[in-house]
Amino acid sequence: MKRKIKRALILAMMPMIFPSAVFAGTDHNQFLDIKMTPPLEAKVDTTIRPDALDAANTLKLTPYIARLQASKAELANGTVSRGDLNARTLCLWRIAEALMEVRKLTAQIDRDLASSYVALDSLSGKKNAVENFINTMNFVQGGTLGIVKQSLFLHRQFQASQYPLITSFSIGTGLAALNLVLPSIWVRRINPPPNTLAHFLIKNYEPPDRKQSYLWSYLDAPIPNSPWPTMPRREVLVHHWEDFEGLNQKQETVLKKLSALPESSENLDESIAIVNQRLSLLHDLRTHVEEFDGALYELHKAIAAN
C-alpha cells in the first residue's frame, strides 16, 4: 500500500519536476524557434539553393534564372547573347528592388523602436522618481521613529519604546509593498501613427503597397518544405510570438496597444510592460524580415558570372 502511494506521489510530481517531459513528442512550442527561409537540407535542385529558389519564385524570375544558369559558361567567357544580358539585367533589377523594400521596412521598424524607447524612458523616469521618493521617505520615517524609540528606551520606558519600532516596521513594509505595484500604475496615452506590428497583429490592416511589393508577397507566402506548408509567413510569425513572447491573439485590446492602433472612439493607455513587449516583438520582427536579405544574396550568387 505504501509503495502505491509513493508511486502515485512521484507521478503527480513529475510535471512539476520535469515539465519538458510532459510535452515530449508533442507539437507544444513548435513555433518557438523558426526560420523564414526553407531548410537547406530539403534541397531539390543541385544548381540553386532552396532559399534562392524561393526568392526567385517570389520575384517571378524562375525562367530567367534557369536560362542564365544554362548559359553561365558563355557569360563567364564574355560571349553572351543580348537576350541573356536582358534577362540578367531584369534579375539584378528585381533583386535590388526587393533589397530596397527590405531596407524600407527595417527603417520603419527602427523608427518604431526609437519611439518605443522614448515612451519607455518616459514611463521609467516617472516610476524611478516615485520609487526614489518612497525609498527616501522610508529612510526618513525609519530614522525619525528610531530616534524616538531610542529616546524612550534611554528614559527606561521599555514597553513604550516598542510602539515606535512597531510603527516604523509597519510603515516600511507598506512603502515597500507600494513599490511593487508602481510599474503597473504608470501609463501614458497611445498616440498615432500605428507601428509596423499592426500589419501582423491586426486583421484587415494592410500596407498600401502590399499587392505591388515583393517583400509582402514573400511574407504572405508559405515557407517551402517547412512543417507548415500552407501557413503564410505572417501567420507563422504570430504563432512564433505566442510561443516566444506569450502573445494571446484573443486579447484584442492588448493587440491594439502593441500595434498603437486604437479606434477613433478609444483612448488606450500603454504601460511599461506593454512597451517592453512591443520592443521585444519589433526586434524579433526585424530579425526575421532581414532573412529575406540572405535569400536574395544567394539568388544573386546563383546568376553571377563566376
Side-chain angles (χ1 to χ4, degrees):
M1 186 67 181
K2 291 183 178 179
R3 290 182 178 178
K4 291 182 178 180
I5 295 175
K6 289 181 179 179
R7 186 179 300 175
L9 289 174
I10 291 174
L11 291 175
M13 294 176 64
M14 278 290 290
M16 294 181 287
I17 301 174
F18 305 105
S20 59
V22 178
F23 304 106
T26 68
D27 58 354
H28 182 76
N29 284 347
Q30 62 171 323
F31 295 94
L32 190 60
D33 187 15
I34 64 170
K35 283 180 66 67
M36 294 287 100
T37 54
L40 296 181
E41 52 271 15
K43 197 169 185 179
V44 295
D45 190 339
T46 56
T47 60
I48 186 171
R49 284 169 42 126
D51 51 354
L53 181 61
D54 182 41
N57 292 331
T58 302
L59 303 182
K60 300 178 181 179
L61 294 175
T62 308
Y64 302 103
I65 298 298
R67 175 174 180 171
L68 289 175
Q69 289 196 323
S71 60
K72 202 168 186 179
E74 297 178 2
L75 186 63
N77 296 329
T79 57
V80 60
S81 65
R82 181 178 295 274
D84 290 340
L85 284 176
N86 291 338
R88 191 166 192 272
T89 302
L90 176 64
C91 291
L92 293 175
W93 177 268
R94 290 189 182 177
I95 290 173
E97 188 176 358
L99 287 170
M100 292 303 102
E101 289 178 359
V102 175
R103 301 278 69 77
K104 177 183 176 181
L105 185 58
T106 53
Q108 293 174 354
I109 296 174
D110 287 339
R111 178 203 63 188
D112 298 333
L113 284 169
S115 61
S116 297
Y117 276 118
V118 171
L120 180 63
D121 183 66
S122 173
L123 292 171
S124 299
K126 294 178 181 179
K127 180 181 74 72
N128 292 336
V130 175
E131 282 183 348
N132 291 336
F133 176 77
I134 290 177
N135 291 334
T136 302
M137 295 303 297
N138 203 356
F139 281 113
V140 169
Q141 67 85 21
T144 302
L145 293 177
I147 292 172
V148 174
K149 182 262 181 188
Q150 287 300 107
S151 177
L152 294 173
F153 184 82
L154 291 176
H155 287 82
R156 299 182 180 277
Q157 299 182 26
F158 301 112
Q159 184 174 357
S161 66
Q162 299 305 311
Y163 294 112
L165 190 62
I166 295 174
T167 303
S168 176
F169 288 162
S170 301
I171 295 175
T173 303
L175 293 176
L178 185 60
N179 261 340
L180 296 177
V181 299
L182 279 179
S184 60
I185 290 178
W186 294 112
V187 296
R188 67 190 295 272
R189 185 172 179 179
I190 298 178
N191 296 318
N195 58 55
T196 317
L197 295 176
H199 300 309
F200 298 85
L201 300 181
I202 306 299
K203 294 182 179 179
N204 301 323
Y205 187 80
E206 301 178 355
D209 59 343
R210 177 185 176 186
K211 296 182 179 180
Q212 296 80 26
S213 170
Y214 293 122
L215 175 59
W216 286 106
S217 297
Y218 177 79
L219 294 172
D220 287 331
I223 306 171
N225 302 312
S226 72
W228 323 285
T230 61
M231 187 179 297
R233 286 181 172 89
R234 290 207 291 178
E235 190 174 343
V236 171
L237 261 178
V238 175
H239 286 296
H240 168 61
W241 291 337
E242 287 181 329
D243 290 347
F244 168 70
E245 191 58 33
L247 189 70
N248 190 347
Q249 294 189 63
K250 297 181 180 180
Q251 297 177 341
E252 295 183 2
T253 302
V254 175
L255 298 182
K256 291 179 181 179
K257 290 182 178 181
L258 290 172
S259 306
L261 187 63
E263 296 181 0
S264 56
S265 59
E266 291 179 319
N267 291 323
L268 296 181
D269 296 324
E270 58 187 4
S271 62
I272 292 177
I274 288 291
V275 177
N276 277 325
Q277 189 175 21
R278 182 190 299 147
L279 286 168
S280 179
L281 295 179
L282 286 171
H283 278 294
D284 188 72
L285 174 61
R286 192 182 198 280
T287 299
H288 290 298
V289 166
E290 289 183 333
E291 288 186 54
F292 193 31
D293 271 343
L296 293 171
Y297 169 70
E298 294 298 334
L299 179 60
H300 184 273
K301 288 202 305 181
I303 63 173
N306 48 11

